[in-house]
Amino acid sequence: MGEFKKLEKKQTGKKLELNLENYRKLLLKLKAAPKKASTENKELNDHLRETGQAMVGLSKAISNFERKYILSINRELRSNLTLSMIGIALVIMALVIFFSSNILKPLREVQEATRKISEGKFKPLPIKNSHDEIQQVFAALNSMVEQLVKRRRQLVQAQKLSSIGTLSSGIAHQLNNPLNNISTSCQILEERQKGKDELADRMMHNIMQETLRARDIVKGLLEFSRESEYSPGPIEIRKIMKSAMDLVSSQIPSNITLSMEIPEHIIVHADRRKLQEAFINLLINAVQAIEGTPGSITVTAFMDQENTVIKVNDTGQGMSPEIMEQIFDPFFSTKEVGQGTGLGL
């Protein structure tokens, strides 16, 4: 053992080794001595006994050294074990604090946030570190909250529009009769008085045109507020677009060119009347977007896998992202009052 390499213990071991050698020699002398020489034998016995006692004492000393060494190792092991247990306890406490503050607490915040969301209280969570996985969950939750707020606003707006649609449907029905009477009266008056007074002819023509425009507005309101029967069938895109272009040709100024690049035999399954109405509205909007300056409108169509893509491109100034978000909202229009109903698209 390394402990017995120390000087004191090494000297004790050396003494024991010498006494053992001396004890062996005394035993040999005692064996060789004559039995009759009692005096000499007595001296050898006494010397042997003293050497034996010294050996016992040295052996006890070595045993004590060993015992103390084992006890010191035991104490060291206990100390190391105690320190290890304290270290493990500290690590466990640190892990508990870490998990509590970085995982359990954020999860409780997420749980509380989802509970508030279920109650209709939309409040975003603060994000401290965007690289942390938990904080990324917060960011995703905030994005969801933002979308929920947006959807709720859209739902409220849709409910308002639904109420307006129901109201406008009733108003449109009530307006049809007086508009028909105005139109009929204007036609009768125009037939009887035509050519007698130029100003009267111009005023009756204006009355008739505005009556027809009002009738179109009422028709648009009625079609928007009620779901008409959908009658789909196979339609050739080129023919239906040609028909729509013929209908709007009278509204296209001479400084705007209208062209069509649609291959033949592209067939879609749709309602002919509704699809033609959609094309007409797109073409009219393209004409109005150019705003009187020279320009062109190009209509194209092509197959994209199983879908048919139809494009109406114009050389107008285009739309801002804010306006583009609202183009399909009923009654939304960028035109001046009286020039658009916001129902075309």
Side-chain angles (χ1 to χ4, degrees), residues 192-206:
R192 292 185 178 182
Q193 302 296 326
K194 190 173 183 179
K196 293 182 179 180
D197 188 341
E198 182 180 354
L199 178 62
D201 290 345
R202 191 164 62 249
M203 291 297 103
M204 284 188 289
H205 178 73
N206 290 339

Side-chain angles (χ1 to χ4, degrees), residues 168-311:
S168 63
S169 175
I171 295 174
H173 279 293
Q174 297 298 324
L175 286 175
N176 261 335
N177 291 331
L179 286 174
N180 288 331
N181 289 333
I182 293 172
S183 176
T184 304
S185 300
C186 184
Q187 288 177 356
I188 294 173
L189 187 61
E190 191 175 16
E191 289 175 358
R192 292 185 178 182
Q193 302 296 326
K194 190 173 183 179
K196 293 182 179 180
D197 188 341
E198 182 180 354
L199 178 62
D201 290 345
R202 191 164 62 249
M203 291 297 103
M204 284 188 289
H205 178 73
N206 290 339
I207 292 172
M208 194 64 188
Q209 291 298 318
E210 292 302 313
T211 303
L212 292 176
R213 194 168 73 86
R215 184 182 294 172
D216 290 338
I217 294 174
V218 170
K219 180 183 177 183
L221 288 171
L222 286 173
E223 289 182 352
F224 174 71
S225 61
R226 72 185 176 200
E227 184 178 356
S228 58
E229 183 179 355
Y230 183 67
S231 302
I235 301 172
E236 187 175 342
I237 292 295
R238 183 181 178 86
K239 291 182 179 179
I240 193 71
M241 181 60 76
K242 181 66 169 59
S243 175
M245 292 172 70
D246 292 339
L247 289 173
V248 300
S249 59
S250 60
Q251 302 183 42
I252 300 177
S254 58
N255 61 346
I256 297 177
T257 59
L258 180 60
S259 61
M260 180 175 65
E261 300 174 4
I262 300 178
E264 295 182 357
H265 310 305
I266 296 182
I267 308 297
V268 297
H269 193 73
D271 185 304
R272 180 184 180 86
R273 185 182 61 82
K274 289 183 179 294
L275 192 60
Q276 179 175 297
E277 184 180 357
F279 290 162
I280 291 172
N281 283 314
L282 286 173
L283 293 171
I284 291 175
N285 277 332
V287 171
Q288 295 170 343
I290 297 177
E291 296 182 350
T293 59
S296 63
I297 301 171
T298 305
V299 181
T300 59
F302 57 90
M303 297 297 296
D304 182 12
Q305 295 181 358
E306 297 181 355
N307 299 318
T308 301
V309 181
I310 303 168
K311 291 185 178 182

Side-chain angles (χ1 to χ4, degrees), residues 12 14 31 36 46 56 69 77 79 89 115 175 180 200 211 217 242 247 255 259 262 275 312:
T12 303
K14 194 68 177 175
K31 182 179 179 181
K36 295 180 179 180
D46 291 342
V56 171
Y69 179 64
L77 288 174
S79 300
R115 185 185 63 80
L175 286 175
N180 288 331
T211 303
I217 294 174
K242 181 66 169 59
L247 289 173
N255 61 346
S259 61
I262 300 178
L275 192 60
V312 179

